[in-house]
Amino acid sequence: MPTPPLAGGTAGPAHLRPLIDTVLAALHDGATRRNGPLPAGGPHTVTEKLLATTGTLIPDHGTGAHHALRTLVTALTEGAADPAHPHCAAHLHTPPLALAAAADLAASALNPSMDSWDQAPAASALETALTTALAAEIYPHTPDPDALVTTGGTEANQLALLLARERHGPVQTICAANAHHSITRAAWLLGLPRPVVIPAPTGVMDPTALHHALTHHHGPLLVAATAGTTDTGQIDPLTDIADLTTTHGADLHIDAAYGGPLLFSPTHRHALRSLHRAHSVTLDLHKLGWQPASAGILAVPHQHDLNPLHHHAPYLNADDDTEAGLPDLLGRSLRTTRRPDALKIAVTLQALGRDGLADLIDRTITTAHHLADLVEEDPALELYDRPTISTVLFRPTHSDDTTVATIRRTLLDQGHAVLGRARTDDGLWLKVTLLNPHTTPDDLRQLLTLVTQAHTAHAHAHATTEGSTPR
């Protein structure tokens, strides 16, 4: 077998072109075979079909590039949960923009490693320009804000707690019951005290409970607020929280992984009032930014806030190289090797501009409100609340938790819809997280019909079982 060609260099594009054609054909064929938001049959069926199709993954003799690409990409696509399908709406799992995916291909072909300048000359300059620009969106009133590219909200939240620990020592985190699980996990990973969890009776942090917690806990405190919860999409009262942290001398971190991109929408950015008052902010553009994963950001108001992350490894950032002017990249992440995720983000922002991104955001939120309208108009369905961003919780009227869970699993098993689940004080709800700006009112009506049909079938089966039970 000849030595396989490389993706880089002047010859790389010529080698890539026929392979990309094979990949694109496989993506099309797999999606056609699936013909829906996810494969039918559940985990066992999907696994059996995948393994039967792919065969031996490490054969003695290779099958060749086109055969392997065609086989595996087709199988993976046929068995995928496709966030581009309007009925795949369970999670903060975005359908990436085609232009962002194309930019990601270039990043893979060039393969810059963002741990030293000599591995990523232009990519490091682009990342610096991008993070500076994004930080300025979040902190428009400080002269030198900065940001880091992360793998997502979880890593960004961990970095936020790490920076707070380096500022103050073993900081005590205070968060609400609606906070992302990564806050508690980060405290555990960093050896910090377990977070104090205060109530969120209406789905958002309760300022009265926060005041009580800040009053009764001493030592360095970090309040972790949320702008866009994973369950309901709600946004904590950021101004009230910022006022309380200022009064009590506590630090503030805002996890805006979901809601942060609202900054780009003149219509909706008011929901993030006081975001700039946080000591750190998490942003995640592989959610409401339509990027392929991963595309996380941690922003801080001052460049020097990131100084504790500095790390020295002589083969990557020798002192004399740094003194000679080579940028030191090791303090830009806890990771060493990392991809140039800034490229796809920069391509998207430049291609769409502020107005283009605002249109996507506004269109998506409008779609969520339309779904809420449809639910409210149907007496067979019950709406949890009007959407804050693009998450809608609903369920069949008077249904119990078992029924809601069964409906969700039924639709998954049939391959008809991917819906999430969220628990509130009122029980279990079906969760629709709308992130597809191409979703139409017809798509929404069809989705509700699928839910209603699944509910009817479940009720009928339950009644039949009850009727056949000996007394």
Side-chain angles (χ1 to χ4, degrees), residues 263-304:
L263 282 173
F264 290 100
S265 166
T267 305
H268 297 289
R269 68 165 61 107
H270 64 88
L272 299 179
R273 194 176 293 114
S274 294
L275 187 71
H276 67 281
R277 297 173 63 184
H279 292 79
S280 54
V281 172
T282 288
L283 186 67
D284 205 345
L285 293 169
H286 60 246
K287 294 182 172 63
L288 203 64
W290 296 279
Q291 298 300 295
S294 56
I297 299 289
L298 177 74
V300 293
H302 305 287
Q303 289 179 356
H304 63 73

Side-chain angles (χ1 to χ4, degrees), residues 2-356:
T3 304
L6 303 178
T10 56
H15 295 310
L16 277 171
R17 188 167 287 110
L19 296 173
I20 291 171
D21 286 342
T22 298
V23 167
L24 295 177
L27 287 170
H28 174 269
D29 291 347
T32 301
R33 292 179 191 178
R34 177 180 8 94
N35 192 31
L38 82 164
H44 181 72
T45 300
V46 171
T47 300
E48 277 199 337
K49 189 169 186 178
L50 176 81
L51 296 180
T53 302
T54 57
T56 303
L57 291 179
I58 310 179
D60 291 334
H61 303 287
T63 61
H66 290 278
H67 182 275
L69 280 170
R70 185 166 54 250
T71 301
L72 288 164
V73 175
T74 301
L76 197 67
T77 306
E78 185 177 356
D82 182 7
H85 192 287
H87 295 163
C88 185
H91 305 287
L92 287 162
H93 180 199
T94 195
L97 298 173
L99 70 96
D104 224 18
L105 169 64
S108 292
L110 293 168
N111 205 31
S113 184
M114 305 299 295
D115 49 312
S116 66
W117 182 88
D118 56 357
Q119 298 176 85
S124 61
L126 179 64
E127 181 178 272
T128 298
L130 176 73
T131 51
T132 300
L134 288 174
E137 295 292 325
I138 296 169
Y139 296 106
H141 309 303
T142 58
D144 62 342
D146 205 351
L148 304 175
V149 177
T150 72
T151 54
T154 293
E155 184 188 351
N157 287 339
Q158 182 181 345
L159 283 170
L161 267 66
L162 172 61
L163 292 173
R165 186 191 71 181
E166 295 307 294
R167 287 194 299 270
H168 302 297
V171 65
Q172 173 66 67
T173 305
I174 300 173
C175 63
N178 64 352
H180 193 262
H181 64 85
S182 61
I183 298 294
T184 298
R185 199 175 194 187
W188 167 66
L189 284 168
L190 295 167
L192 296 174
R194 187 173 181 82
V196 173
V197 180
I198 62 176
T202 62
V204 298
M205 183 182 286
D206 179 8
T208 301
L210 176 60
H211 173 70
H212 183 270
L214 289 169
T215 302
H216 288 83
H217 288 85
H218 305 288
L221 301 174
L222 172 69
V223 175
T226 308
T229 63
T230 52
D231 274 349
T232 64
Q234 289 173 277
I235 296 174
D236 286 341
L238 302 182
T239 298
D240 291 343
I241 293 168
D243 289 345
L244 284 168
T245 56
T246 298
T247 299
H248 290 272
D251 282 7
L252 173 61
H253 170 65
I254 298 178
D255 176 2
Y258 180 12
L262 297 181
L263 282 173
F264 290 100
S265 166
T267 305
H268 297 289
R269 68 165 61 107
H270 64 88
L272 299 179
R273 194 176 293 114
S274 294
L275 187 71
H276 67 281
R277 297 173 63 184
H279 292 79
S280 54
V281 172
T282 288
L283 186 67
D284 205 345
L285 293 169
H286 60 246
K287 294 182 172 63
L288 203 64
W290 296 279
Q291 298 300 295
S294 56
I297 299 289
L298 177 74
V300 293
H302 305 287
Q303 289 179 356
H304 63 73
D305 293 333
L306 300 176
N307 288 348
L309 300 179
H310 174 74
H311 182 68
H312 189 247
Y315 77 104
L316 293 173
N317 59 349
D319 289 340
D320 57 326
D321 278 348
T322 303
E323 291 167 5
L326 296 185
D328 179 356
L329 305 185
L330 275 189
R332 305 298 297 176
S333 177
L334 293 182
R335 294 169 286 149
T336 304
T337 302
R338 58 188 181 88
R339 300 181 77 251
D341 289 316
L343 175 60
K344 61 195 174 192
I345 301 172
V347 166
T348 300
L349 293 175
Q350 188 169 89
L352 298 183
R354 293 177 184 279
D355 54 352

